[in-house]
Every structure is written in C-alpha cells, then in structure tokens.
Amino acid sequence: MFLNYIKDFFLKRILKNSLHNVKSSTLTASIQTVGLLVDESYFFEKEALVKELIANGISESNIKIIVYKDKLKKNELFSQPIFGIKHLSWKAEITNPKVKDFINEKFDLLISYYDVEKAILLNITHNSKAQFKVGFSSVDKRLNHLMINTNAENYKVFVHELFRYLKILNKI
C-alpha cells in the first residue's frame, strides 16, 4: 500500500514537469469516435452515461471505454477493459497493453470522466492521442480543451453541457 503512494508521487512529479510542454490542438472535422476514461471508484453508472452519449447521436460502435478501479479482484469478470495502480511501473509507464492501445488510438473526442485527480488517470489523459479532450473543471486545467463545471454523479448534466458546447463549436 505504501509503495503505491510512492509510485503516485513519482508519477505526479513527472506529470508536473511534462505539463509545461502541453500543445493545444484543434479539431477540424466532426466528432465520430469517442474514448471514455471512467474512474469507477466514484462513478458506477457508466452504462447510463454511454446511453446518454448514444441518445445524442454518437454510434455505440464508435465509443471505446476503459475503466479505472482502485482495487482489483483476481476472479472478477468485467465487460470493459479494467486497469489499476498495479498496471503502473516505477518509471511511470503503463504496463497494460489494452491501456496502451487506448492511449495510442486517435479519438476525435476523449471524455475524461473523473472529478478527483489521480496521477494514473491524469497520465492517460495527458498522453492520449485524442484530438479534443473534455473533462471536469475540478481536474488540472492544462489537460483538457473543454472543462465542464459539475460533479461526476450528474452525468445527464455533463452530457447535456458537452453537446451544447460541441454544437456551438460546430463539432457535431
């Protein structure tokens, strides 16, 4: 347990240094593919969140989900790829191949659905190849292009505000 805090500390230090070099990118095309990074430690209604995205015009086949859990059980089965702090090396590198694939995939939109800063989630958001990143305003402002001021329990408000701003920006 104590070693996880040390890993977290090193990752935060590396992130702090790398966030000085954040480059802004612009999305010119409309949004087709969506990556959804969810922290299941605080938010359990990911299926309802996906249904809200589908109701607003995103195809279910174009949504890719990856879920973070604080504690992983060995024999538990999951419908989406799951990762935890154990998938982080001492050099602050992700060891899970599914998470690496998620980071390297070029999404039109990445939704970082967590409102509590955890170093591993910040690292994935920062290193993602997504063209447009959306998250909560309670998370570091340098990571996302669009921040929505609500909490994770209000997923309907989040999705409503997200699509309202995407329409204003002519992204959908």
Side-chain angles (χ1 to χ4, degrees):
M1 193 67 171
F2 178 71
L3 296 176
N4 287 340
Y5 291 113
I6 294 173
K7 270 190 199 179
D8 196 48
F9 172 76
F10 284 129
L11 181 57
K12 283 182 182 178
R13 200 167 102 196
I14 290 168
L15 270 173
K16 181 182 174 190
N17 293 333
S18 68
L19 282 175
H20 294 292
N21 302 326
V22 174
K23 297 174 186 162
S24 64
S25 65
T26 58
L27 177 65
T28 56
S30 66
I31 292 175
Q32 301 297 319
T33 58
V34 175
L36 186 59
L37 174 61
V38 178
D39 181 4
E40 200 174 70
S41 306
Y42 298 101
F43 182 72
F44 303 106
E45 300 177 35
K46 59 186 175 293
E47 289 84 14
L49 176 63
V50 171
K51 286 180 184 177
E52 284 290 320
L53 292 172
I54 293 168
N56 282 290
I58 304 293
S59 173
E60 186 174 5
S61 62
N62 291 341
I63 299 173
K64 188 171 181 183
I65 304 171
I66 193 158
V67 179
Y68 171 81
K69 286 187 85 167
D70 282 332
K71 297 178 183 171
L72 298 172
K73 297 176 183 166
K74 284 188 178 183
N75 297 328
E76 197 171 358
L77 297 174
F78 303 104
S79 59
Q80 290 95 13
I82 302 284
F83 69 99
I85 193 73
K86 74 175 189 175
H87 295 113
L88 185 68
S89 73
W90 284 99
K91 295 180 183 178
E93 297 170 350
I94 305 293
T95 59
N96 188 332
K98 291 182 181 180
V99 178
K100 285 183 181 180
D101 291 342
F102 185 84
I103 290 172
N104 291 323
E105 191 164 337
K106 290 197 173 214
F107 296 111
D108 295 330
L109 174 67
L110 174 70
I111 300 174
S112 301
Y113 206 83
Y114 55 90
D115 58 355
V116 175
E117 287 188 3
K118 293 183 181 173
I120 191 167
L121 295 171
L122 297 174
N123 186 24
I124 291 170
T125 301
H126 175 64
N127 291 324
S128 174
K129 305 291 188 262
Q131 293 185 7
F132 194 72
K133 299 175 185 177
V134 176
F136 289 93
S137 61
S138 60
V139 179
D140 195 335
K141 311 288 188 250
R142 298 172 288 185
L143 287 173
N144 298 311
H145 299 107
L146 176 66
M147 281 96 30
I148 297 176
N149 189 16
T150 185
N151 57 11
E153 290 81 28
N154 295 332
Y155 66 91
K156 289 184 179 186
V157 173
F158 181 87
V159 172
H160 173 72
E161 291 295 315
L162 170 64
F163 281 94
R164 189 176 106 194
Y165 285 109
L166 289 176
K167 286 177 186 172
I168 291 170
L169 297 171
N170 291 327
K171 304 297 182 198
I172 54 171

mmCIF file of all heavy atoms in Angstrom, residues 62-105:
data_model
loop_
_atom_site.group_PDB
_atom_site.id
_atom_site.type_symbol
_atom_site.label_atom_id
_atom_site.label_comp_id
_atom_site.label_asym_id
_atom_site.label_seq_id
_atom_site.Cartn_x
_atom_site.Cartn_y
_atom_site.Cartn_z
ATOM 1 N N ASN A 62 -18.714 3.313 -32.081
ATOM 2 C CA ASN A 62 -17.639 4.300 -32.100
ATOM 3 C C ASN A 62 -17.229 4.764 -30.712
ATOM 4 O O ASN A 62 -16.431 5.689 -30.589
ATOM 5 C CB ASN A 62 -18.045 5.512 -32.939
ATOM 6 C CG ASN A 62 -18.130 5.184 -34.403
ATOM 7 O OD1 ASN A 62 -17.570 4.196 -34.859
ATOM 8 N ND2 ASN A 62 -18.838 6.008 -35.139
ATOM 9 N N ILE A 63 -17.782 4.151 -29.678
ATOM 10 C CA ILE A 63 -17.439 4.510 -28.304
ATOM 11 C C ILE A 63 -16.555 3.404 -27.725
ATOM 12 O O ILE A 63 -16.942 2.238 -27.722
ATOM 13 C CB ILE A 63 -18.700 4.677 -27.433
ATOM 14 C CG1 ILE A 63 -19.587 5.790 -27.991
ATOM 15 C CG2 ILE A 63 -18.319 4.983 -25.987
ATOM 16 C CD1 ILE A 63 -20.919 5.919 -27.305
ATOM 17 N N LYS A 64 -15.394 3.780 -27.258
ATOM 18 C CA LYS A 64 -14.487 2.830 -26.628
ATOM 19 C C LYS A 64 -14.289 3.254 -25.173
ATOM 20 O O LYS A 64 -13.962 4.408 -24.902
ATOM 21 C CB LYS A 64 -13.144 2.794 -27.355
ATOM 22 C CG LYS A 64 -12.242 1.705 -26.871
ATOM 23 C CD LYS A 64 -11.026 1.556 -27.760
ATOM 24 C CE LYS A 64 -10.157 0.435 -27.243
ATOM 25 N NZ LYS A 64 -8.932 0.313 -28.040
ATOM 26 N N ILE A 65 -14.508 2.317 -24.246
ATOM 27 C CA ILE A 65 -14.476 2.609 -22.816
ATOM 28 C C ILE A 65 -13.300 1.882 -22.169
ATOM 29 O O ILE A 65 -13.018 0.725 -22.494
ATOM 30 C CB ILE A 65 -15.777 2.154 -22.131
ATOM 31 C CG1 ILE A 65 -16.983 2.783 -22.798
ATOM 32 C CG2 ILE A 65 -15.752 2.486 -20.647
ATOM 33 C CD1 ILE A 65 -18.291 2.208 -22.320
ATOM 34 N N ILE A 66 -12.663 2.567 -21.232
ATOM 35 C CA ILE A 66 -11.674 1.936 -20.368
ATOM 36 C C ILE A 66 -11.946 2.429 -18.949
ATOM 37 O O ILE A 66 -12.273 3.604 -18.745
ATOM 38 C CB ILE A 66 -10.237 2.209 -20.834
ATOM 39 C CG1 ILE A 66 -9.282 1.291 -20.117
ATOM 40 C CG2 ILE A 66 -9.864 3.644 -20.670
ATOM 41 C CD1 ILE A 66 -7.978 1.098 -20.826
ATOM 42 N N VAL A 67 -11.860 1.526 -17.973
ATOM 43 C CA VAL A 67 -12.302 1.814 -16.616
ATOM 44 C C VAL A 67 -11.150 1.635 -15.630
ATOM 45 O O VAL A 67 -10.422 0.647 -15.688
ATOM 46 C CB VAL A 67 -13.475 0.882 -16.224
ATOM 47 C CG1 VAL A 67 -13.937 1.144 -14.814
ATOM 48 C CG2 VAL A 67 -14.620 1.034 -17.204
ATOM 49 N N TYR A 68 -11.016 2.587 -14.718
ATOM 50 C CA TYR A 68 -10.032 2.517 -13.643
ATOM 51 C C TYR A 68 -10.723 2.092 -12.356
ATOM 52 O O TYR A 68 -11.808 2.582 -12.037
ATOM 53 C CB TYR A 68 -9.367 3.878 -13.420
ATOM 54 C CG TYR A 68 -8.497 3.924 -12.193
ATOM 55 C CD1 TYR A 68 -7.207 3.422 -12.229
ATOM 56 C CD2 TYR A 68 -8.969 4.446 -10.998
ATOM 57 C CE1 TYR A 68 -6.409 3.446 -11.097
ATOM 58 C CE2 TYR A 68 -8.181 4.477 -9.870
ATOM 59 C CZ TYR A 68 -6.903 3.975 -9.921
ATOM 60 O OH TYR A 68 -6.117 3.989 -8.804
ATOM 61 N N LYS A 69 -10.103 1.180 -11.621
ATOM 62 C CA LYS A 69 -10.596 0.771 -10.298
ATOM 63 C C LYS A 69 -9.437 0.840 -9.320
ATOM 64 O O LYS A 69 -8.309 0.471 -9.657
ATOM 65 C CB LYS A 69 -11.147 -0.656 -10.328
ATOM 66 C CG LYS A 69 -12.491 -0.763 -11.016
ATOM 67 C CD LYS A 69 -13.073 -2.122 -10.869
ATOM 68 C CE LYS A 69 -13.803 -2.185 -9.552
ATOM 69 N NZ LYS A 69 -14.662 -3.330 -9.395
ATOM 70 N N ASP A 70 -9.728 1.294 -8.097
ATOM 71 C CA ASP A 70 -8.688 1.353 -7.067
ATOM 72 C C ASP A 70 -8.230 -0.038 -6.657
ATOM 73 O O ASP A 70 -7.038 -0.287 -6.502
ATOM 74 C CB ASP A 70 -9.207 2.089 -5.828
ATOM 75 C CG ASP A 70 -9.220 3.593 -6.025
ATOM 76 O OD1 ASP A 70 -8.403 4.101 -6.811
ATOM 77 O OD2 ASP A 70 -10.056 4.255 -5.387
ATOM 78 N N LYS A 71 -9.185 -0.934 -6.475
ATOM 79 C CA LYS A 71 -8.864 -2.288 -6.025
ATOM 80 C C LYS A 71 -9.399 -3.297 -7.020
ATOM 81 O O LYS A 71 -10.591 -3.329 -7.304
ATOM 82 C CB LYS A 71 -9.457 -2.535 -4.646
ATOM 83 C CG LYS A 71 -8.871 -1.626 -3.591
ATOM 84 C CD LYS A 71 -9.492 -1.831 -2.248
ATOM 85 C CE LYS A 71 -8.884 -0.832 -1.280
ATOM 86 N NZ LYS A 71 -9.540 -0.789 -0.016
ATOM 87 N N LEU A 72 -8.513 -4.117 -7.531
ATOM 88 C CA LEU A 72 -8.893 -5.148 -8.494
ATOM 89 C C LEU A 72 -8.917 -6.506 -7.799
ATOM 90 O O LEU A 72 -7.999 -6.850 -7.057
ATOM 91 C CB LEU A 72 -7.892 -5.192 -9.654
ATOM 92 C CG LEU A 72 -7.786 -3.929 -10.496
ATOM 93 C CD1 LEU A 72 -6.639 -4.047 -11.470
ATOM 94 C CD2 LEU A 72 -9.072 -3.692 -11.242
ATOM 95 N N LYS A 73 -9.969 -7.267 -8.062
ATOM 96 C CA LYS A 73 -10.059 -8.624 -7.522
ATOM 97 C C LYS A 73 -9.677 -9.599 -8.625
ATOM 98 O O LYS A 73 -9.990 -9.392 -9.794
ATOM 99 C CB LYS A 73 -11.473 -8.886 -7.029
ATOM 100 C CG LYS A 73 -11.861 -7.968 -5.882
ATOM 101 C CD LYS A 73 -13.283 -8.177 -5.460
ATOM 102 C CE LYS A 73 -13.628 -7.189 -4.358
ATOM 103 N NZ LYS A 73 -15.041 -7.108 -4.114
ATOM 104 N N LYS A 74 -9.011 -10.678 -8.248
ATOM 105 C CA LYS A 74 -8.460 -11.605 -9.236
ATOM 106 C C LYS A 74 -9.516 -12.296 -10.090
ATOM 107 O O LYS A 74 -9.383 -12.379 -11.298
ATOM 108 C CB LYS A 74 -7.617 -12.676 -8.541
ATOM 109 C CG LYS A 74 -6.277 -12.182 -8.107
ATOM 110 C CD LYS A 74 -5.437 -13.321 -7.601
ATOM 111 C CE LYS A 74 -4.058 -12.826 -7.216
ATOM 112 N NZ LYS A 74 -3.194 -13.900 -6.797
ATOM 113 N N ASN A 75 -10.558 -12.811 -9.517
ATOM 114 C CA ASN A 75 -11.524 -13.634 -10.243
ATOM 115 C C ASN A 75 -12.746 -12.868 -10.723
ATOM 116 O O ASN A 75 -13.720 -13.474 -11.153
ATOM 117 C CB ASN A 75 -11.971 -14.811 -9.364
ATOM 118 C CG ASN A 75 -10.808 -15.720 -9.032
ATOM 119 O OD1 ASN A 75 -9.890 -15.859 -9.833
ATOM 120 N ND2 ASN A 75 -10.836 -16.310 -7.853
ATOM 121 N N GLU A 76 -12.712 -11.568 -10.670
ATOM 122 C CA GLU A 76 -13.851 -10.762 -11.081
ATOM 123 C C GLU A 76 -13.830 -10.574 -12.601
ATOM 124 O O GLU A 76 -12.792 -10.316 -13.198
ATOM 125 C CB GLU A 76 -13.784 -9.400 -10.383
ATOM 126 C CG GLU A 76 -15.068 -8.642 -10.402
ATOM 127 C CD GLU A 76 -15.005 -7.399 -9.508
ATOM 128 O OE1 GLU A 76 -13.988 -7.161 -8.856
ATOM 129 O OE2 GLU A 76 -16.007 -6.680 -9.482
ATOM 130 N N LEU A 77 -14.992 -10.721 -13.241
ATOM 131 C CA LEU A 77 -15.112 -10.552 -14.682
ATOM 132 C C LEU A 77 -15.702 -9.185 -15.003
ATOM 133 O O LEU A 77 -16.605 -8.716 -14.315
ATOM 134 C CB LEU A 77 -16.003 -11.646 -15.275
ATOM 135 C CG LEU A 77 -15.486 -13.070 -15.121
ATOM 136 C CD1 LEU A 77 -16.523 -14.052 -15.615
ATOM 137 C CD2 LEU A 77 -14.183 -13.250 -15.873
ATOM 138 N N PHE A 78 -15.208 -8.564 -16.077
ATOM 139 C CA PHE A 78 -15.640 -7.222 -16.452
ATOM 140 C C PHE A 78 -16.046 -7.192 -17.906
ATOM 141 O O PHE A 78 -15.510 -7.922 -18.730
ATOM 142 C CB PHE A 78 -14.507 -6.220 -16.217
ATOM 143 C CG PHE A 78 -14.002 -6.191 -14.802
ATOM 144 C CD1 PHE A 78 -12.795 -6.782 -14.471
ATOM 145 C CD2 PHE A 78 -14.733 -5.572 -13.808
ATOM 146 C CE1 PHE A 78 -12.327 -6.761 -13.175
ATOM 147 C CE2 PHE A 78 -14.266 -5.541 -12.506
ATOM 148 C CZ PHE A 78 -13.062 -6.140 -12.191
ATOM 149 N N SER A 79 -16.980 -6.292 -18.238
ATOM 150 C CA SER A 79 -17.408 -6.163 -19.624
ATOM 151 C C SER A 79 -16.523 -5.192 -20.414
ATOM 152 O O SER A 79 -16.459 -5.262 -21.625
ATOM 153 C CB SER A 79 -18.868 -5.701 -19.678
ATOM 154 O OG SER A 79 -18.995 -4.466 -19.018
ATOM 155 N N GLN A 80 -15.829 -4.285 -19.731
ATOM 156 C CA GLN A 80 -14.901 -3.355 -20.357
ATOM 157 C C GLN A 80 -13.491 -3.600 -19.823
ATOM 158 O O GLN A 80 -13.329 -4.185 -18.758
ATOM 159 C CB GLN A 80 -15.280 -1.902 -20.058
ATOM 160 C CG GLN A 80 -16.515 -1.420 -20.731
ATOM 161 C CD GLN A 80 -17.741 -1.555 -19.853
ATOM 162 O OE1 GLN A 80 -17.629 -1.780 -18.669
ATOM 163 N NE2 GLN A 80 -18.904 -1.435 -20.443
ATOM 164 N N PRO A 81 -12.474 -3.137 -20.551
ATOM 165 C CA PRO A 81 -11.105 -3.256 -20.037
ATOM 166 C C PRO A 81 -10.951 -2.474 -18.732
ATOM 167 O O PRO A 81 -11.368 -1.322 -18.638
ATOM 168 C CB PRO A 81 -10.243 -2.652 -21.141
ATOM 169 C CG PRO A 81 -11.088 -2.661 -22.358
ATOM 170 C CD PRO A 81 -12.501 -2.581 -21.899
ATOM 171 N N ILE A 82 -10.348 -3.112 -17.749
ATOM 172 C CA ILE A 82 -10.161 -2.537 -16.419
ATOM 173 C C ILE A 82 -8.660 -2.447 -16.146
ATOM 174 O O ILE A 82 -7.902 -3.335 -16.519
ATOM 175 C CB ILE A 82 -10.815 -3.421 -15.337
ATOM 176 C CG1 ILE A 82 -12.305 -3.612 -15.608
ATOM 177 C CG2 ILE A 82 -10.588 -2.888 -13.941
ATOM 178 C CD1 ILE A 82 -13.167 -2.445 -15.269
ATOM 179 N N PHE A 83 -8.244 -1.377 -15.467
ATOM 180 C CA PHE A 83 -6.856 -1.264 -15.043
ATOM 181 C C PHE A 83 -6.811 -0.634 -13.662
ATOM 182 O O PHE A 83 -7.798 -0.089 -13.180
ATOM 183 C CB PHE A 83 -6.036 -0.450 -16.050
ATOM 184 C CG PHE A 83 -6.391 1.006 -16.096
ATOM 185 C CD1 PHE A 83 -5.636 1.933 -15.415
ATOM 186 C CD2 PHE A 83 -7.484 1.446 -16.812
ATOM 187 C CE1 PHE A 83 -5.963 3.276 -15.457
ATOM 188 C CE2 PHE A 83 -7.816 2.773 -16.867
ATOM 189 C CZ PHE A 83 -7.052 3.699 -16.176
ATOM 190 N N GLY A 84 -5.666 -0.733 -13.027
ATOM 191 C CA GLY A 84 -5.481 -0.186 -11.692
ATOM 192 C C GLY A 84 -4.069 0.308 -11.511
ATOM 193 O O GLY A 84 -3.256 0.321 -12.445
ATOM 194 N N ILE A 85 -3.742 0.669 -10.297
ATOM 195 C CA ILE A 85 -2.424 1.210 -9.986
ATOM 196 C C ILE A 85 -1.329 0.162 -10.187
ATOM 197 O O ILE A 85 -0.185 0.499 -10.442
ATOM 198 C CB ILE A 85 -2.392 1.803 -8.555
ATOM 199 C CG1 ILE A 85 -1.146 2.655 -8.325
ATOM 200 C CG2 ILE A 85 -2.488 0.709 -7.512
ATOM 201 C CD1 ILE A 85 -1.173 3.963 -9.022
ATOM 202 N N LYS A 86 -1.702 -1.110 -10.141
ATOM 203 C CA LYS A 86 -0.701 -2.165 -10.333
ATOM 204 C C LYS A 86 -0.211 -2.223 -11.785
ATOM 205 O O LYS A 86 0.805 -2.830 -12.063
ATOM 206 C CB LYS A 86 -1.241 -3.525 -9.892
ATOM 207 C CG LYS A 86 -2.244 -4.138 -10.830
ATOM 208 C CD LYS A 86 -2.638 -5.521 -10.381
ATOM 209 C CE LYS A 86 -3.464 -6.206 -11.444
ATOM 210 N NZ LYS A 86 -3.757 -7.573 -11.109
ATOM 211 N N HIS A 87 -0.918 -1.578 -12.698
ATOM 212 C CA HIS A 87 -0.509 -1.537 -14.099
ATOM 213 C C HIS A 87 0.402 -0.349 -14.398
ATOM 214 O O HIS A 87 0.581 0.026 -15.541
ATOM 215 C CB HIS A 87 -1.733 -1.488 -15.014
ATOM 216 C CG HIS A 87 -2.552 -2.721 -14.926
ATOM 217 N ND1 HIS A 87 -3.810 -2.722 -14.396
ATOM 218 C CD2 HIS A 87 -2.284 -4.004 -15.279
ATOM 219 C CE1 HIS A 87 -4.301 -3.956 -14.430
ATOM 220 N NE2 HIS A 87 -3.389 -4.753 -14.958
ATOM 221 N N LEU A 88 0.972 0.228 -13.361
ATOM 222 C CA LEU A 88 1.893 1.350 -13.487
ATOM 223 C C LEU A 88 3.261 0.911 -12.998
ATOM 224 O O LEU A 88 3.394 0.392 -11.892
ATOM 225 C CB LEU A 88 1.371 2.531 -12.661
ATOM 226 C CG LEU A 88 2.135 3.835 -12.750
ATOM 227 C CD1 LEU A 88 1.980 4.426 -14.149
ATOM 228 C CD2 LEU A 88 1.611 4.811 -11.725
ATOM 229 N N SER A 89 4.291 1.109 -13.831
ATOM 230 C CA SER A 89 5.644 0.717 -13.439
ATOM 231 C C SER A 89 6.284 1.827 -12.605
ATOM 232 O O SER A 89 5.740 2.923 -12.465
ATOM 233 C CB SER A 89 6.503 0.438 -14.682
ATOM 234 O OG SER A 89 6.832 1.644 -15.323
ATOM 235 N N TRP A 90 7.462 1.538 -12.079
ATOM 236 C CA TRP A 90 8.170 2.522 -11.268
ATOM 237 C C TRP A 90 8.710 3.673 -12.104
ATOM 238 O O TRP A 90 9.065 4.712 -11.573
ATOM 239 C CB TRP A 90 9.311 1.845 -10.513
ATOM 240 C CG TRP A 90 8.786 1.073 -9.354
ATOM 241 C CD1 TRP A 90 8.554 -0.255 -9.298
ATOM 242 C CD2 TRP A 90 8.367 1.607 -8.102
ATOM 243 N NE1 TRP A 90 8.016 -0.593 -8.085
ATOM 244 C CE2 TRP A 90 7.907 0.533 -7.321
ATOM 245 C CE3 TRP A 90 8.338 2.873 -7.552
ATOM 246 C CZ2 TRP A 90 7.432 0.704 -6.044
ATOM 247 C CZ3 TRP A 90 7.877 3.035 -6.272
ATOM 248 C CH2 TRP A 90 7.425 1.944 -5.536
ATOM 249 N N LYS A 91 8.757 3.496 -13.416
ATOM 250 C CA LYS A 91 9.203 4.570 -14.304
ATOM 251 C C LYS A 91 8.014 5.375 -14.826
ATOM 252 O O LYS A 91 8.137 6.093 -15.814
ATOM 253 C CB LYS A 91 9.976 3.985 -15.478
ATOM 254 C CG LYS A 91 11.268 3.326 -15.067
ATOM 255 C CD LYS A 91 11.970 2.773 -16.278
ATOM 256 C CE LYS A 91 13.236 2.048 -15.866
ATOM 257 N NZ LYS A 91 13.908 1.464 -17.021
ATOM 258 N N ALA A 92 6.873 5.220 -14.201
ATOM 259 C CA ALA A 92 5.634 5.915 -14.557
ATOM 260 C C ALA A 92 5.164 5.539 -15.952
ATOM 261 O O ALA A 92 4.617 6.361 -16.676
ATOM 262 C CB ALA A 92 5.794 7.425 -14.417
ATOM 263 N N GLU A 93 5.359 4.293 -16.348
ATOM 264 C CA GLU A 93 4.906 3.790 -17.631
ATOM 265 C C GLU A 93 3.771 2.799 -17.420
ATOM 266 O O GLU A 93 3.795 2.020 -16.472
ATOM 267 C CB GLU A 93 6.053 3.118 -18.377
ATOM 268 C CG GLU A 93 7.192 4.056 -18.714
ATOM 269 C CD GLU A 93 8.414 3.332 -19.237
ATOM 270 O OE1 GLU A 93 8.453 2.085 -19.160
ATOM 271 O OE2 GLU A 93 9.330 4.017 -19.695
ATOM 272 N N ILE A 94 2.815 2.814 -18.302
ATOM 273 C CA ILE A 94 1.685 1.892 -18.243
ATOM 274 C C ILE A 94 2.136 0.538 -18.770
ATOM 275 O O ILE A 94 2.759 0.446 -19.825
ATOM 276 C CB ILE A 94 0.510 2.418 -19.089
ATOM 277 C CG1 ILE A 94 0.108 3.828 -18.662
ATOM 278 C CG2 ILE A 94 -0.663 1.471 -19.045
ATOM 279 C CD1 ILE A 94 -0.484 3.933 -17.292
ATOM 280 N N THR A 95 1.804 -0.543 -18.049
ATOM 281 C CA THR A 95 2.207 -1.887 -18.455
ATOM 282 C C THR A 95 1.079 -2.694 -19.084
ATOM 283 O O THR A 95 1.343 -3.719 -19.694
ATOM 284 C CB THR A 95 2.757 -2.667 -17.243
ATOM 285 O OG1 THR A 95 1.744 -2.739 -16.233
ATOM 286 C CG2 THR A 95 4.001 -1.998 -16.675
ATOM 287 N N ASN A 96 -0.152 -2.234 -18.953
ATOM 288 C CA ASN A 96 -1.295 -2.950 -19.502
ATOM 289 C C ASN A 96 -1.402 -2.659 -21.001
ATOM 290 O O ASN A 96 -1.551 -1.496 -21.408
ATOM 291 C CB ASN A 96 -2.574 -2.510 -18.784
ATOM 292 C CG ASN A 96 -3.775 -3.328 -19.152
ATOM 293 O OD1 ASN A 96 -3.872 -3.879 -20.237
ATOM 294 N ND2 ASN A 96 -4.722 -3.396 -18.223
ATOM 295 N N PRO A 97 -1.362 -3.687 -21.864
ATOM 296 C CA PRO A 97 -1.421 -3.433 -23.313
ATOM 297 C C PRO A 97 -2.747 -2.822 -23.780
ATOM 298 O O PRO A 97 -2.763 -2.055 -24.745
ATOM 299 C CB PRO A 97 -1.202 -4.809 -23.938
ATOM 300 C CG PRO A 97 -1.382 -5.792 -22.855
ATOM 301 C CD PRO A 97 -1.181 -5.091 -21.557
ATOM 302 N N LYS A 98 -3.849 -3.125 -23.113
ATOM 303 C CA LYS A 98 -5.136 -2.538 -23.504
ATOM 304 C C LYS A 98 -5.157 -1.034 -23.233
ATOM 305 O O LYS A 98 -5.713 -0.265 -24.011
ATOM 306 C CB LYS A 98 -6.282 -3.228 -22.766
ATOM 307 C CG LYS A 98 -6.499 -4.650 -23.231
ATOM 308 C CD LYS A 98 -7.651 -5.295 -22.521
ATOM 309 C CE LYS A 98 -7.805 -6.735 -22.999
ATOM 310 N NZ LYS A 98 -8.909 -7.417 -22.351
ATOM 311 N N VAL A 99 -4.530 -0.632 -22.139
ATOM 312 C CA VAL A 99 -4.453 0.789 -21.819
ATOM 313 C C VAL A 99 -3.522 1.494 -22.801
ATOM 314 O O VAL A 99 -3.806 2.603 -23.259
ATOM 315 C CB VAL A 99 -3.993 1.002 -20.355
ATOM 316 C CG1 VAL A 99 -3.876 2.481 -20.043
ATOM 317 C CG2 VAL A 99 -4.958 0.338 -19.388
ATOM 318 N N LYS A 100 -2.427 0.853 -23.164
ATOM 319 C CA LYS A 100 -1.512 1.430 -24.158
ATOM 320 C C LYS A 100 -2.218 1.626 -25.495
ATOM 321 O O LYS A 100 -2.033 2.650 -26.154
ATOM 322 C CB LYS A 100 -0.292 0.524 -24.343
ATOM 323 C CG LYS A 100 0.702 0.598 -23.220
ATOM 324 C CD LYS A 100 1.888 -0.279 -23.542
ATOM 325 C CE LYS A 100 2.914 -0.266 -22.436
ATOM 326 N NZ LYS A 100 4.066 -1.113 -22.747
ATOM 327 N N ASP A 101 -3.024 0.636 -25.902
ATOM 328 C CA ASP A 101 -3.780 0.761 -27.150
ATOM 329 C C ASP A 101 -4.777 1.920 -27.069
ATOM 330 O O ASP A 101 -4.967 2.653 -28.034
ATOM 331 C CB ASP A 101 -4.522 -0.533 -27.468
ATOM 332 C CG ASP A 101 -3.589 -1.671 -27.840
ATOM 333 O OD1 ASP A 101 -2.418 -1.402 -28.186
ATOM 334 O OD2 ASP A 101 -4.033 -2.839 -27.773
ATOM 335 N N PHE A 102 -5.419 2.071 -25.909
ATOM 336 C CA PHE A 102 -6.372 3.159 -25.701
ATOM 337 C C PHE A 102 -5.666 4.514 -25.815
ATOM 338 O O PHE A 102 -6.185 5.442 -26.439
ATOM 339 C CB PHE A 102 -7.036 3.019 -24.324
ATOM 340 C CG PHE A 102 -8.110 4.024 -24.054
ATOM 341 C CD1 PHE A 102 -9.402 3.814 -24.499
ATOM 342 C CD2 PHE A 102 -7.836 5.184 -23.349
ATOM 343 C CE1 PHE A 102 -10.404 4.740 -24.249
ATOM 344 C CE2 PHE A 102 -8.826 6.114 -23.092
ATOM 345 C CZ PHE A 102 -10.111 5.890 -23.548
ATOM 346 N N ILE A 103 -4.493 4.628 -25.236
ATOM 347 C CA ILE A 103 -3.732 5.883 -25.278
ATOM 348 C C ILE A 103 -3.325 6.213 -26.708
ATOM 349 O O ILE A 103 -3.400 7.359 -27.137
ATOM 350 C CB ILE A 103 -2.491 5.792 -24.359
ATOM 351 C CG1 ILE A 103 -2.912 5.776 -22.890
ATOM 352 C CG2 ILE A 103 -1.533 6.950 -24.617
ATOM 353 C CD1 ILE A 103 -1.795 5.492 -21.932
ATOM 354 N N ASN A 104 -2.919 5.212 -27.469
ATOM 355 C CA ASN A 104 -2.396 5.446 -28.818
ATOM 356 C C ASN A 104 -3.476 5.575 -29.885
ATOM 357 O O ASN A 104 -3.164 5.944 -31.019
ATOM 358 C CB ASN A 104 -1.420 4.336 -29.197
ATOM 359 C CG ASN A 104 -0.159 4.414 -28.371
ATOM 360 O OD1 ASN A 104 0.311 5.497 -28.056
ATOM 361 N ND2 ASN A 104 0.381 3.276 -28.002
ATOM 362 N N GLU A 105 -4.716 5.279 -29.544
ATOM 363 C CA GLU A 105 -5.797 5.399 -30.530
ATOM 364 C C GLU A 105 -6.165 6.870 -30.719
ATOM 365 O O GLU A 105 -6.276 7.620 -29.763
ATOM 366 C CB GLU A 105 -7.015 4.599 -30.077
ATOM 367 C CG GLU A 105 -8.045 4.468 -31.154
ATOM 368 C CD GLU A 105 -9.042 3.376 -30.865
ATOM 369 O OE1 GLU A 105 -8.729 2.446 -30.098
ATOM 370 O OE2 GLU A 105 -10.142 3.462 -31.418
#
